[in-house]
Amino acid sequence: ASCLVGSEMCIRDSDRVLVRPGDRVPADGKIFRGESSLDESPITGESVPRQKAGGDDVFAGSINVDGVLEVLVEKAASDNTISRIIQLVEQAQSSKAPTARFIEKFSRYYTPAVMAIAALIVVVPPLTMGGDWGTWLYRGLALLLIACPCALVLSTPAAIASGLAVATRRGLLIKGGNALETIGRVRTVAFDKTGTLTEGKPRITEVVPFGQSKQQQVLALAAAVESGSNHPLAKAIVAHAKSLDVEVPQATEAFAIPGKAVRATVNGSKLAVGSPVHAGQMATLTLAHQQEIAKLEDGGKTVVVLFDEASKNVMGLLALRDEPRRDAREGVAQLKAMGVRSVMLTGDNRRTAQAIAGKLDIEWESELLPQDKLRLVNDLKRDAKVAMVGDGINDAPALATADVGIAMGGGTDVALETADAALLKSRVTDVAHLVALSRATMANIHQNVVFAIGLKGLFLVTSVLGITGLWVAVLADTGATALVTLNALRLLRFKGAQEPADGQNGGHQSSVSVQDAH
């Protein structure tokens, strides 16, 4: 009685719910009655909707595309897929501990030690060796002055601030110095596929005409049939026709057979665009047609068939696939050149994953649910520091549990909130730039620390021996602070990771360009 009618919290195990086209599935369960395509990208990341019928499993958060479904609920709202993803994110975030900086640890011992040494220098020589109190008091003060850890303490935050500033200027949002420091130590980067390595929406890759038909005619007729459909594949076909300025004829009497085909009358002919399975039942698929379909599907593509319902003749095939981003191969090659291993983790099917991975020259794992990605990231963490790059709700647990989570700028709010860094321009090459910037920043910090400690060590010895006095100590301390700051500012000249020759890694060593002003 406390819940609202229609609320997901009212849905209980064994209930039956009606899911109309465009509705979001409210709970995990099985299809009791009906057939439809389901967009499972929020859960699995797969960009092309899956055809499902009676007895098939459905996940909470999936979107019903075209048919009416009656779903038998098997899990309550508190135990559905989305709830488990939230729990995985919370567990992963709570298990992460911030890395304690070397400088912070060092300073715990450095300052008390220097104070004790200065006190001994002031007291011991006059008491044990008959030294002059004034002379040794002067030397003790000089030692305290030269040992002041200004340059040492400033060496890290100055470099971190410069690194964060240049990252922001390049569209790389990093949530703090700890993330910037860790990124450079990453040896494996796990990428989500859909929306990260790929554009996140299907596109026409090939149009194959048969008989007397021509490519442009097949595309025009298919676009006409699909012009009234809201299916992602239909939108891709229509968009491709528009991009090529193909004249699309008017279609009438259009309607969809959920999960099978879209039918319409175009130029007096009753045409249909459907799946190969449906086309095999309603039209004449010859051996040549079947071989061409198999060839395209082996390439990880989704194939639809244009056929005439009256004559049962197949007029052509259209192949669609979520294609890699333009800079994806270059980004993976840059990481490889820097000694960083890349792995693609996707909820998509095996053939599509293999085809995309082959294009990008990257290791891969397919058909993964969010908990599978989380498990694989934990496995990778046993061997080295791991970064996870993703954009969706389904990537959030892996983003949270990785040593560094990196979200694409166009991703979901959940991914952006969970990640340690965000690529605001959504470029894969920016992952390599992040690693290069982190390494440059850490190199700058090490330079500053070595310089500060070395300079102070030198003048500590000369001050105790009386070779240098108080004024030299003042100049050395101030000068060290200024030089450390200037060295940190050199990071503002950061140019990014160098591109491998001809877009390939070619065995080249990665380098970072941090140049001084001319």
Side-chain angles (χ1 to χ4, degrees), residues 108-146:
R108 295 177 188 173
Y109 307 100
Y110 177 79
T111 303
V114 167
M115 294 289 291
I117 292 171
L120 291 174
I121 287 175
V122 172
V123 174
V124 172
L127 293 179
T128 60
M129 297 181 293
D132 180 64
W133 282 96
T135 300
W136 287 102
L137 178 61
Y138 184 86
R139 292 181 182 180
L141 291 174
L143 184 144
L144 277 178
L145 185 58
I146 196 64

PDB file of all heavy atoms in Angstrom, residues 108-146:
ATOM      1  N   ARG A 108      57.526  13.696   7.436  1.00  0.00           N
ATOM      2  CA  ARG A 108      57.274  13.302   8.818  1.00  0.00           C
ATOM      3  C   ARG A 108      58.574  13.144   9.598  1.00  0.00           C
ATOM      4  O   ARG A 108      58.624  13.351  10.812  1.00  0.00           O
ATOM      5  CB  ARG A 108      56.509  11.975   8.865  1.00  0.00           C
ATOM      6  CG  ARG A 108      55.110  12.036   8.290  1.00  0.00           C
ATOM      7  CD  ARG A 108      54.477  10.655   8.318  1.00  0.00           C
ATOM      8  NE  ARG A 108      53.195  10.647   7.594  1.00  0.00           N
ATOM      9  CZ  ARG A 108      52.506   9.543   7.358  1.00  0.00           C
ATOM     10  NH1 ARG A 108      52.966   8.367   7.785  1.00  0.00           N
ATOM     11  NH2 ARG A 108      51.367   9.607   6.702  1.00  0.00           N
ATOM     12  N   TYR A 109      59.607  12.749   8.900  1.00  0.00           N
ATOM     13  CA  TYR A 109      60.897  12.499   9.552  1.00  0.00           C
ATOM     14  C   TYR A 109      61.899  13.624   9.293  1.00  0.00           C
ATOM     15  O   TYR A 109      62.787  13.873  10.096  1.00  0.00           O
ATOM     16  CB  TYR A 109      61.482  11.173   9.050  1.00  0.00           C
ATOM     17  CG  TYR A 109      60.533  10.008   9.184  1.00  0.00           C
ATOM     18  CD1 TYR A 109      59.805   9.548   8.098  1.00  0.00           C
ATOM     19  CD2 TYR A 109      60.327   9.381  10.417  1.00  0.00           C
ATOM     20  CE1 TYR A 109      58.913   8.488   8.217  1.00  0.00           C
ATOM     21  CE2 TYR A 109      59.440   8.316  10.546  1.00  0.00           C
ATOM     22  CZ  TYR A 109      58.734   7.881   9.434  1.00  0.00           C
ATOM     23  OH  TYR A 109      57.858   6.837   9.555  1.00  0.00           O
ATOM     24  N   TYR A 110      61.757  14.301   8.151  1.00  0.00           N
ATOM     25  CA  TYR A 110      62.752  15.283   7.737  1.00  0.00           C
ATOM     26  C   TYR A 110      62.824  16.472   8.701  1.00  0.00           C
ATOM     27  O   TYR A 110      63.897  16.816   9.212  1.00  0.00           O
ATOM     28  CB  TYR A 110      62.424  15.769   6.326  1.00  0.00           C
ATOM     29  CG  TYR A 110      63.342  16.846   5.815  1.00  0.00           C
ATOM     30  CD1 TYR A 110      64.601  16.547   5.314  1.00  0.00           C
ATOM     31  CD2 TYR A 110      62.944  18.192   5.834  1.00  0.00           C
ATOM     32  CE1 TYR A 110      65.450  17.538   4.850  1.00  0.00           C
ATOM     33  CE2 TYR A 110      63.779  19.186   5.369  1.00  0.00           C
ATOM     34  CZ  TYR A 110      65.025  18.854   4.874  1.00  0.00           C
ATOM     35  OH  TYR A 110      65.863  19.832   4.421  1.00  0.00           O
ATOM     36  N   THR A 111      61.692  17.121   8.963  1.00  0.00           N
ATOM     37  CA  THR A 111      61.702  18.337   9.787  1.00  0.00           C
ATOM     38  C   THR A 111      62.161  18.076  11.221  1.00  0.00           C
ATOM     39  O   THR A 111      63.044  18.804  11.723  1.00  0.00           O
ATOM     40  CB  THR A 111      60.305  18.989   9.776  1.00  0.00           C
ATOM     41  OG1 THR A 111      59.924  19.268   8.423  1.00  0.00           O
ATOM     42  CG2 THR A 111      60.309  20.279  10.580  1.00  0.00           C
ATOM     43  N   PRO A 112      61.632  17.056  11.914  1.00  0.00           N
ATOM     44  CA  PRO A 112      62.155  16.796  13.270  1.00  0.00           C
ATOM     45  C   PRO A 112      63.647  16.464  13.278  1.00  0.00           C
ATOM     46  O   PRO A 112      64.370  16.882  14.186  1.00  0.00           O
ATOM     47  CB  PRO A 112      61.332  15.590  13.742  1.00  0.00           C
ATOM     48  CG  PRO A 112      60.095  15.614  12.915  1.00  0.00           C
ATOM     49  CD  PRO A 112      60.503  16.157  11.596  1.00  0.00           C
ATOM     50  N   ALA A 113      64.107  15.744  12.252  1.00  0.00           N
ATOM     51  CA  ALA A 113      65.523  15.378  12.185  1.00  0.00           C
ATOM     52  C   ALA A 113      66.397  16.622  12.025  1.00  0.00           C
ATOM     53  O   ALA A 113      67.442  16.759  12.680  1.00  0.00           O
ATOM     54  CB  ALA A 113      65.764  14.406  11.039  1.00  0.00           C
ATOM     55  N   VAL A 114      65.962  17.542  11.160  1.00  0.00           N
ATOM     56  CA  VAL A 114      66.738  18.773  10.943  1.00  0.00           C
ATOM     57  C   VAL A 114      66.770  19.615  12.210  1.00  0.00           C
ATOM     58  O   VAL A 114      67.821  20.191  12.571  1.00  0.00           O
ATOM     59  CB  VAL A 114      66.133  19.566   9.761  1.00  0.00           C
ATOM     60  CG1 VAL A 114      66.706  20.982   9.725  1.00  0.00           C
ATOM     61  CG2 VAL A 114      66.414  18.853   8.458  1.00  0.00           C
ATOM     62  N   MET A 115      65.659  19.717  12.908  1.00  0.00           N
ATOM     63  CA  MET A 115      65.615  20.476  14.157  1.00  0.00           C
ATOM     64  C   MET A 115      66.571  19.883  15.192  1.00  0.00           C
ATOM     65  O   MET A 115      67.297  20.611  15.888  1.00  0.00           O
ATOM     66  CB  MET A 115      64.186  20.468  14.714  1.00  0.00           C
ATOM     67  CG  MET A 115      63.175  21.209  13.855  1.00  0.00           C
ATOM     68  SD  MET A 115      63.390  23.000  13.888  1.00  0.00           S
ATOM     69  CE  MET A 115      62.893  23.368  15.560  1.00  0.00           C
ATOM     70  N   ALA A 116      66.591  18.570  15.261  1.00  0.00           N
ATOM     71  CA  ALA A 116      67.479  17.913  16.226  1.00  0.00           C
ATOM     72  C   ALA A 116      68.941  18.127  15.865  1.00  0.00           C
ATOM     73  O   ALA A 116      69.786  18.413  16.736  1.00  0.00           O
ATOM     74  CB  ALA A 116      67.162  16.411  16.277  1.00  0.00           C
ATOM     75  N   ILE A 117      69.260  18.030  14.565  1.00  0.00           N
ATOM     76  CA  ILE A 117      70.658  18.225  14.127  1.00  0.00           C
ATOM     77  C   ILE A 117      71.099  19.656  14.397  1.00  0.00           C
ATOM     78  O   ILE A 117      72.229  19.903  14.861  1.00  0.00           O
ATOM     79  CB  ILE A 117      70.790  17.874  12.631  1.00  0.00           C
ATOM     80  CG1 ILE A 117      70.589  16.369  12.417  1.00  0.00           C
ATOM     81  CG2 ILE A 117      72.147  18.308  12.097  1.00  0.00           C
ATOM     82  CD1 ILE A 117      70.482  15.969  10.963  1.00  0.00           C
ATOM     83  N   ALA A 118      70.235  20.644  14.136  1.00  0.00           N
ATOM     84  CA  ALA A 118      70.579  22.053  14.371  1.00  0.00           C
ATOM     85  C   ALA A 118      70.830  22.295  15.861  1.00  0.00           C
ATOM     86  O   ALA A 118      71.775  23.012  16.239  1.00  0.00           O
ATOM     87  CB  ALA A 118      69.455  22.951  13.867  1.00  0.00           C
ATOM     88  N   ALA A 119      69.992  21.690  16.708  1.00  0.00           N
ATOM     89  CA  ALA A 119      70.184  21.856  18.155  1.00  0.00           C
ATOM     90  C   ALA A 119      71.513  21.259  18.597  1.00  0.00           C
ATOM     91  O   ALA A 119      72.237  21.846  19.419  1.00  0.00           O
ATOM     92  CB  ALA A 119      69.021  21.188  18.899  1.00  0.00           C
ATOM     93  N   LEU A 120      71.853  20.107  18.030  1.00  0.00           N
ATOM     94  CA  LEU A 120      73.131  19.476  18.386  1.00  0.00           C
ATOM     95  C   LEU A 120      74.317  20.322  17.917  1.00  0.00           C
ATOM     96  O   LEU A 120      75.332  20.442  18.619  1.00  0.00           O
ATOM     97  CB  LEU A 120      73.206  18.072  17.772  1.00  0.00           C
ATOM     98  CG  LEU A 120      72.256  17.022  18.367  1.00  0.00           C
ATOM     99  CD1 LEU A 120      72.327  15.724  17.567  1.00  0.00           C
ATOM    100  CD2 LEU A 120      72.617  16.760  19.839  1.00  0.00           C
ATOM    101  N   ILE A 121      74.199  20.918  16.735  1.00  0.00           N
ATOM    102  CA  ILE A 121      75.287  21.757  16.212  1.00  0.00           C
ATOM    103  C   ILE A 121      75.500  22.996  17.081  1.00  0.00           C
ATOM    104  O   ILE A 121      76.623  23.453  17.289  1.00  0.00           O
ATOM    105  CB  ILE A 121      74.988  22.148  14.754  1.00  0.00           C
ATOM    106  CG1 ILE A 121      75.184  20.923  13.845  1.00  0.00           C
ATOM    107  CG2 ILE A 121      75.871  23.303  14.293  1.00  0.00           C
ATOM    108  CD1 ILE A 121      74.816  21.160  12.413  1.00  0.00           C
ATOM    109  N   VAL A 122      74.387  23.530  17.595  1.00  0.00           N
ATOM    110  CA  VAL A 122      74.503  24.719  18.458  1.00  0.00           C
ATOM    111  C   VAL A 122      75.100  24.353  19.814  1.00  0.00           C
ATOM    112  O   VAL A 122      75.927  25.090  20.364  1.00  0.00           O
ATOM    113  CB  VAL A 122      73.111  25.370  18.639  1.00  0.00           C
ATOM    114  CG1 VAL A 122      73.176  26.478  19.690  1.00  0.00           C
ATOM    115  CG2 VAL A 122      72.607  25.933  17.310  1.00  0.00           C
ATOM    116  N   VAL A 123      74.755  23.213  20.366  1.00  0.00           N
ATOM    117  CA  VAL A 123      75.094  22.865  21.752  1.00  0.00           C
ATOM    118  C   VAL A 123      76.374  22.041  21.878  1.00  0.00           C
ATOM    119  O   VAL A 123      77.225  22.310  22.739  1.00  0.00           O
ATOM    120  CB  VAL A 123      73.920  22.116  22.403  1.00  0.00           C
ATOM    121  CG1 VAL A 123      74.298  21.625  23.791  1.00  0.00           C
ATOM    122  CG2 VAL A 123      72.693  23.013  22.471  1.00  0.00           C
ATOM    123  N   VAL A 124      76.536  21.015  21.039  1.00  0.00           N
ATOM    124  CA  VAL A 124      77.616  20.044  21.248  1.00  0.00           C
ATOM    125  C   VAL A 124      79.019  20.653  21.121  1.00  0.00           C
ATOM    126  O   VAL A 124      79.863  20.473  22.027  1.00  0.00           O
ATOM    127  CB  VAL A 124      77.455  18.843  20.294  1.00  0.00           C
ATOM    128  CG1 VAL A 124      78.677  17.918  20.358  1.00  0.00           C
ATOM    129  CG2 VAL A 124      76.186  18.072  20.649  1.00  0.00           C
ATOM    130  N   PRO A 125      79.358  21.379  20.039  1.00  0.00           N
ATOM    131  CA  PRO A 125      80.741  21.899  19.930  1.00  0.00           C
ATOM    132  C   PRO A 125      81.144  22.803  21.098  1.00  0.00           C
ATOM    133  O   PRO A 125      82.247  22.650  21.627  1.00  0.00           O
ATOM    134  CB  PRO A 125      80.729  22.659  18.602  1.00  0.00           C
ATOM    135  CG  PRO A 125      79.655  21.981  17.800  1.00  0.00           C
ATOM    136  CD  PRO A 125      78.608  21.633  18.789  1.00  0.00           C
ATOM    137  N   PRO A 126      80.298  23.768  21.538  1.00  0.00           N
ATOM    138  CA  PRO A 126      80.717  24.591  22.684  1.00  0.00           C
ATOM    139  C   PRO A 126      80.894  23.780  23.967  1.00  0.00           C
ATOM    140  O   PRO A 126      81.792  24.074  24.774  1.00  0.00           O
ATOM    141  CB  PRO A 126      79.577  25.603  22.829  1.00  0.00           C
ATOM    142  CG  PRO A 126      78.941  25.671  21.483  1.00  0.00           C
ATOM    143  CD  PRO A 126      79.051  24.291  20.944  1.00  0.00           C
ATOM    144  N   LEU A 127      80.045  22.755  24.184  1.00  0.00           N
ATOM    145  CA  LEU A 127      80.121  21.997  25.426  1.00  0.00           C
ATOM    146  C   LEU A 127      81.241  20.969  25.429  1.00  0.00           C
ATOM    147  O   LEU A 127      81.869  20.724  26.469  1.00  0.00           O
ATOM    148  CB  LEU A 127      78.780  21.287  25.691  1.00  0.00           C
ATOM    149  CG  LEU A 127      77.573  22.191  25.999  1.00  0.00           C
ATOM    150  CD1 LEU A 127      76.327  21.349  26.215  1.00  0.00           C
ATOM    151  CD2 LEU A 127      77.850  23.047  27.239  1.00  0.00           C
ATOM    152  N   THR A 128      81.496  20.357  24.299  1.00  0.00           N
ATOM    153  CA  THR A 128      82.481  19.264  24.276  1.00  0.00           C
ATOM    154  C   THR A 128      83.829  19.666  23.713  1.00  0.00           C
ATOM    155  O   THR A 128      84.851  19.053  24.031  1.00  0.00           O
ATOM    156  CB  THR A 128      81.938  18.092  23.440  1.00  0.00           C
ATOM    157  OG1 THR A 128      81.698  18.538  22.093  1.00  0.00           O
ATOM    158  CG2 THR A 128      80.649  17.555  24.031  1.00  0.00           C
ATOM    159  N   MET A 129      83.847  20.690  22.841  1.00  0.00           N
ATOM    160  CA  MET A 129      85.115  21.064  22.199  1.00  0.00           C
ATOM    161  C   MET A 129      85.536  22.493  22.515  1.00  0.00           C
ATOM    162  O   MET A 129      86.471  23.026  21.923  1.00  0.00           O
ATOM    163  CB  MET A 129      84.989  20.894  20.680  1.00  0.00           C
ATOM    164  CG  MET A 129      84.735  19.440  20.253  1.00  0.00           C
ATOM    165  SD  MET A 129      84.622  19.230  18.453  1.00  0.00           S
ATOM    166  CE  MET A 129      83.117  20.109  18.110  1.00  0.00           C
ATOM    167  N   GLY A 130      84.802  23.122  23.387  1.00  0.00           N
ATOM    168  CA  GLY A 130      85.158  24.483  23.773  1.00  0.00           C
ATOM    169  C   GLY A 130      84.930  25.499  22.688  1.00  0.00           C
ATOM    170  O   GLY A 130      85.595  26.543  22.655  1.00  0.00           O
ATOM    171  N   GLY A 131      84.008  25.237  21.782  1.00  0.00           N
ATOM    172  CA  GLY A 131      83.732  26.161  20.687  1.00  0.00           C
ATOM    173  C   GLY A 131      83.029  27.415  21.153  1.00  0.00           C
ATOM    174  O   GLY A 131      82.472  27.481  22.255  1.00  0.00           O
ATOM    175  N   ASP A 132      83.057  28.413  20.268  1.00  0.00           N
ATOM    176  CA  ASP A 132      82.427  29.698  20.574  1.00  0.00           C
ATOM    177  C   ASP A 132      80.916  29.579  20.372  1.00  0.00           C
ATOM    178  O   ASP A 132      80.448  29.144  19.320  1.00  0.00           O
ATOM    179  CB  ASP A 132      82.986  30.783  19.645  1.00  0.00           C
ATOM    180  CG  ASP A 132      82.355  32.131  19.927  1.00  0.00           C
ATOM    181  OD1 ASP A 132      82.535  32.657  21.027  1.00  0.00           O
ATOM    182  OD2 ASP A 132      81.628  32.617  19.024  1.00  0.00           O
ATOM    183  N   TRP A 133      80.178  29.989  21.410  1.00  0.00           N
ATOM    184  CA  TRP A 133      78.726  29.867  21.351  1.00  0.00           C
ATOM    185  C   TRP A 133      78.135  30.693  20.206  1.00  0.00           C
ATOM    186  O   TRP A 133      77.233  30.245  19.494  1.00  0.00           O
ATOM    187  CB  TRP A 133      78.104  30.304  22.669  1.00  0.00           C
ATOM    188  CG  TRP A 133      78.206  29.266  23.752  1.00  0.00           C
ATOM    189  CD1 TRP A 133      79.157  29.179  24.717  1.00  0.00           C
ATOM    190  CD2 TRP A 133      77.311  28.157  23.938  1.00  0.00           C
ATOM    191  NE1 TRP A 133      78.938  28.092  25.525  1.00  0.00           N
ATOM    192  CE2 TRP A 133      77.788  27.428  25.062  1.00  0.00           C
ATOM    193  CE3 TRP A 133      76.171  27.693  23.302  1.00  0.00           C
ATOM    194  CZ2 TRP A 133      77.171  26.291  25.539  1.00  0.00           C
ATOM    195  CZ3 TRP A 133      75.551  26.561  23.780  1.00  0.00           C
ATOM    196  CH2 TRP A 133      76.052  25.859  24.882  1.00  0.00           C
ATOM    197  N   GLY A 134      78.632  31.873  19.986  1.00  0.00           N
ATOM    198  CA  GLY A 134      78.117  32.749  18.927  1.00  0.00           C
ATOM    199  C   GLY A 134      78.319  32.149  17.538  1.00  0.00           C
ATOM    200  O   GLY A 134      77.421  32.194  16.689  1.00  0.00           O
ATOM    201  N   THR A 135      79.546  31.593  17.335  1.00  0.00           N
ATOM    202  CA  THR A 135      79.848  31.006  16.022  1.00  0.00           C
ATOM    203  C   THR A 135      78.934  29.835  15.715  1.00  0.00           C
ATOM    204  O   THR A 135      78.359  29.722  14.629  1.00  0.00           O
ATOM    205  CB  THR A 135      81.318  30.539  15.981  1.00  0.00           C
ATOM    206  OG1 THR A 135      82.162  31.666  16.197  1.00  0.00           O
ATOM    207  CG2 THR A 135      81.634  29.885  14.647  1.00  0.00           C
ATOM    208  N   TRP A 136      78.788  28.951  16.710  1.00  0.00           N
ATOM    209  CA  TRP A 136      77.993  27.748  16.467  1.00  0.00           C
ATOM    210  C   TRP A 136      76.494  28.032  16.457  1.00  0.00           C
ATOM    211  O   TRP A 136      75.719  27.338  15.793  1.00  0.00           O
ATOM    212  CB  TRP A 136      78.333  26.673  17.491  1.00  0.00           C
ATOM    213  CG  TRP A 136      79.695  26.084  17.207  1.00  0.00           C
ATOM    214  CD1 TRP A 136      80.860  26.346  17.851  1.00  0.00           C
ATOM    215  CD2 TRP A 136      80.004  25.175  16.145  1.00  0.00           C
ATOM    216  NE1 TRP A 136      81.909  25.667  17.284  1.00  0.00           N
ATOM    217  CE2 TRP A 136      81.393  24.922  16.223  1.00  0.00           C
ATOM    218  CE3 TRP A 136      79.261  24.546  15.154  1.00  0.00           C
ATOM    219  CZ2 TRP A 136      82.055  24.077  15.338  1.00  0.00           C
ATOM    220  CZ3 TRP A 136      79.914  23.700  14.283  1.00  0.00           C
ATOM    221  CH2 TRP A 136      81.289  23.468  14.372  1.00  0.00           C
ATOM    222  N   LEU A 137      76.056  29.072  17.174  1.00  0.00           N
ATOM    223  CA  LEU A 137      74.663  29.487  17.091  1.00  0.00           C
ATOM    224  C   LEU A 137      74.367  30.022  15.684  1.00  0.00           C
ATOM    225  O   LEU A 137      73.327  29.715  15.094  1.00  0.00           O
ATOM    226  CB  LEU A 137      74.368  30.570  18.129  1.00  0.00           C
ATOM    227  CG  LEU A 137      72.933  31.139  18.125  1.00  0.00           C
ATOM    228  CD1 LEU A 137      71.912  30.048  18.406  1.00  0.00           C
ATOM    229  CD2 LEU A 137      72.802  32.277  19.146  1.00  0.00           C
ATOM    230  N   TYR A 138      75.318  30.792  15.133  1.00  0.00           N
ATOM    231  CA  TYR A 138      75.188  31.333  13.768  1.00  0.00           C
ATOM    232  C   TYR A 138      75.093  30.189  12.747  1.00  0.00           C
ATOM    233  O   TYR A 138      74.251  30.197  11.847  1.00  0.00           O
ATOM    234  CB  TYR A 138      76.397  32.217  13.469  1.00  0.00           C
ATOM    235  CG  TYR A 138      76.350  32.915  12.122  1.00  0.00           C
ATOM    236  CD1 TYR A 138      75.694  34.137  11.977  1.00  0.00           C
ATOM    237  CD2 TYR A 138      76.959  32.357  11.001  1.00  0.00           C
ATOM    238  CE1 TYR A 138      75.664  34.778  10.745  1.00  0.00           C
ATOM    239  CE2 TYR A 138      76.924  32.980   9.768  1.00  0.00           C
ATOM    240  CZ  TYR A 138      76.271  34.199   9.651  1.00  0.00           C
ATOM    241  OH  TYR A 138      76.230  34.830   8.435  1.00  0.00           O
ATOM    242  N   ARG A 139      75.976  29.187  12.921  1.00  0.00           N
ATOM    243  CA  ARG A 139      75.981  28.052  11.993  1.00  0.00           C
ATOM    244  C   ARG A 139      74.699  27.213  12.130  1.00  0.00           C
ATOM    245  O   ARG A 139      74.178  26.685  11.149  1.00  0.00           O
ATOM    246  CB  ARG A 139      77.211  27.174  12.222  1.00  0.00           C
ATOM    247  CG  ARG A 139      78.514  27.876  11.833  1.00  0.00           C
ATOM    248  CD  ARG A 139      79.708  26.967  12.052  1.00  0.00           C
ATOM    249  NE  ARG A 139      80.949  27.677  11.717  1.00  0.00           N
ATOM    250  CZ  ARG A 139      82.168  27.137  11.808  1.00  0.00           C
ATOM    251  NH1 ARG A 139      82.310  25.876  12.232  1.00  0.00           N
ATOM    252  NH2 ARG A 139      83.228  27.848  11.494  1.00  0.00           N
ATOM    253  N   GLY A 140      74.213  27.082  13.346  1.00  0.00           N
ATOM    254  CA  GLY A 140      72.966  26.340  13.563  1.00  0.00           C
ATOM    255  C   GLY A 140      71.783  27.030  12.894  1.00  0.00           C
ATOM    256  O   GLY A 140      70.920  26.381  12.286  1.00  0.00           O
ATOM    257  N   LEU A 141      71.746  28.392  12.996  1.00  0.00           N
ATOM    258  CA  LEU A 141      70.675  29.135  12.337  1.00  0.00           C
ATOM    259  C   LEU A 141      70.777  29.022  10.815  1.00  0.00           C
ATOM    260  O   LEU A 141      69.767  28.899  10.111  1.00  0.00           O
ATOM    261  CB  LEU A 141      70.731  30.605  12.756  1.00  0.00           C
ATOM    262  CG  LEU A 141      70.356  30.897  14.214  1.00  0.00           C
ATOM    263  CD1 LEU A 141      70.602  32.372  14.550  1.00  0.00           C
ATOM    264  CD2 LEU A 141      68.895  30.533  14.471  1.00  0.00           C
ATOM    265  N   ALA A 142      72.012  29.081  10.305  1.00  0.00           N
ATOM    266  CA  ALA A 142      72.214  28.925   8.859  1.00  0.00           C
ATOM    267  C   ALA A 142      71.745  27.546   8.395  1.00  0.00           C
ATOM    268  O   ALA A 142      71.128  27.399   7.329  1.00  0.00           O
ATOM    269  CB  ALA A 142      73.684  29.131   8.513  1.00  0.00           C
ATOM    270  N   LEU A 143      72.034  26.530   9.208  1.00  0.00           N
ATOM    271  CA  LEU A 143      71.602  25.178   8.862  1.00  0.00           C
ATOM    272  C   LEU A 143      70.074  25.088   8.834  1.00  0.00           C
ATOM    273  O   LEU A 143      69.491  24.488   7.936  1.00  0.00           O
ATOM    274  CB  LEU A 143      72.181  24.174   9.857  1.00  0.00           C
ATOM    275  CG  LEU A 143      71.896  22.692   9.583  1.00  0.00           C
ATOM    276  CD1 LEU A 143      73.089  21.838   9.970  1.00  0.00           C
ATOM    277  CD2 LEU A 143      70.661  22.208  10.342  1.00  0.00           C
ATOM    278  N   LEU A 144      69.412  25.698   9.851  1.00  0.00           N
ATOM    279  CA  LEU A 144      67.957  25.681   9.880  1.00  0.00           C
ATOM    280  C   LEU A 144      67.370  26.373   8.659  1.00  0.00           C
ATOM    281  O   LEU A 144      66.375  25.918   8.077  1.00  0.00           O
ATOM    282  CB  LEU A 144      67.449  26.373  11.150  1.00  0.00           C
ATOM    283  CG  LEU A 144      67.408  25.543  12.438  1.00  0.00           C
ATOM    284  CD1 LEU A 144      66.930  26.402  13.578  1.00  0.00           C
ATOM    285  CD2 LEU A 144      66.478  24.334  12.264  1.00  0.00           C
ATOM    286  N   LEU A 145      68.001  27.455   8.256  1.00  0.00           N
ATOM    287  CA  LEU A 145      67.510  28.215   7.119  1.00  0.00           C
ATOM    288  C   LEU A 145      67.670  27.433   5.817  1.00  0.00           C
ATOM    289  O   LEU A 145      66.743  27.313   5.012  1.00  0.00           O
ATOM    290  CB  LEU A 145      68.238  29.556   7.026  1.00  0.00           C
ATOM    291  CG  LEU A 145      67.739  30.515   5.941  1.00  0.00           C
ATOM    292  CD1 LEU A 145      66.272  30.826   6.140  1.00  0.00           C
ATOM    293  CD2 LEU A 145      68.552  31.800   5.959  1.00  0.00           C
ATOM    294  N   ILE A 146      68.847  26.873   5.615  1.00  0.00           N
ATOM    295  CA  ILE A 146      69.088  26.138   4.378  1.00  0.00           C
ATOM    296  C   ILE A 146      68.282  24.853   4.342  1.00  0.00           C
ATOM    297  O   ILE A 146      67.918  24.352   3.275  1.00  0.00           O
ATOM    298  CB  ILE A 146      70.600  25.846   4.207  1.00  0.00           C
ATOM    299  CG1 ILE A 146      70.898  25.430   2.753  1.00  0.00           C
ATOM    300  CG2 ILE A 146      71.060  24.773   5.172  1.00  0.00           C
ATOM    301  CD1 ILE A 146      70.645  26.474   1.741  1.00  0.00           C
TER     302      ILE A 146
END
